[in-house]
Amino acid sequence: MGGWLLDHYWWGSVFLINVPIVVLALVAVAVLMPESRGAGPFRIDVIGVLISSAGLVALTYGVIRAGQDGWSDALAVGTMVAGVVALAAFVRWERYVSRRPDGQPLVDLSLFRSAGFTWGTVLATMTSFALFGLTFAMPQFFLDVKGLNSLASGSGCCR
């Protein structure tokens, strides 16, 4: 459907596919979901969000920079190291928040004591990275290398 819209209308039309689905989902949630409340007041771990965001941004920027300038680029390596240090600080912060009586950590680190949970999370993350990479690269390959149009590129069929 997206390929057909790209071939016949402006590129932003592909986002309009989601409008009826979102409207239907909002109506379904309003009608079918019962009201629920948590046992205590909800507080977000702002410091945890900031530390984890900084770590992920630094690590991602370092990998992108390394892809552009090489893995021996000092800024790329330094940024990746800073990202790993920030993520280690995030784990330490979450442990601290978990030990407090009123603490509401962003991530419940005790779940990672289970090997099934840990390896399931690692495998799901790696699968997501692979699928996102393929979803990004394959349409470009079909468009630019194989010379297919948007409809054929999206559906995987040949001309």
Side-chain angles (χ1 to χ4, degrees), residues 135-149:
T135 303
F136 177 75
M138 291 309 290
Q140 291 182 11
F141 172 77
F142 286 129
L143 287 169
D144 298 334
V145 177
K146 294 290 189 179
L148 300 177
N149 62 15

Side-chain angles (χ1 to χ4, degrees), residues 8-154:
H8 294 89
Y9 299 103
W10 63 291
W11 68 269
S13 65
V14 298
F15 298 109
L16 298 178
I17 296 170
N18 296 324
V19 172
I21 296 169
V22 169
V23 170
L24 182 63
L26 289 174
V27 169
V29 165
V31 172
L32 300 174
M33 292 294 292
E35 178 66 30
S36 65
R37 301 222 183 261
F42 175 75
R43 288 192 334 259
I44 191 156
D45 181 13
V46 177
I47 295 174
V49 169
L50 293 174
I51 296 171
S52 65
S53 297
L56 290 172
V57 165
L59 189 60
T60 303
Y61 176 76
V63 170
I64 292 170
R65 177 80 186 220
Q68 290 174 345
D69 299 334
W71 290 92
S72 60
D73 180 55
L75 183 59
V77 172
T79 310
M80 285 187 286
V81 168
V84 169
V85 168
L87 291 174
F90 169 70
V91 169
R92 185 176 171 114
W93 173 256
E94 290 301 295
R95 285 184 179 157
Y96 168 74
V97 171
S98 297
R99 283 189 227 119
R100 292 191 319 201
D102 64 336
Q104 291 181 340
L106 193 61
V107 177
D108 184 5
L109 297 176
S110 66
L111 293 173
F112 289 96
R113 290 187 189 129
S114 164
F117 178 83
T118 300
W119 287 109
T121 303
V122 168
L123 291 174
T125 302
M126 292 301 170
T127 302
S128 295
F129 286 160
L131 288 175
F132 285 135
L134 281 172
T135 303
F136 177 75
M138 291 309 290
Q140 291 182 11
F141 172 77
F142 286 129
L143 287 169
D144 298 334
V145 177
K146 294 290 189 179
L148 300 177
N149 62 15
S150 300
L151 180 59
S153 174

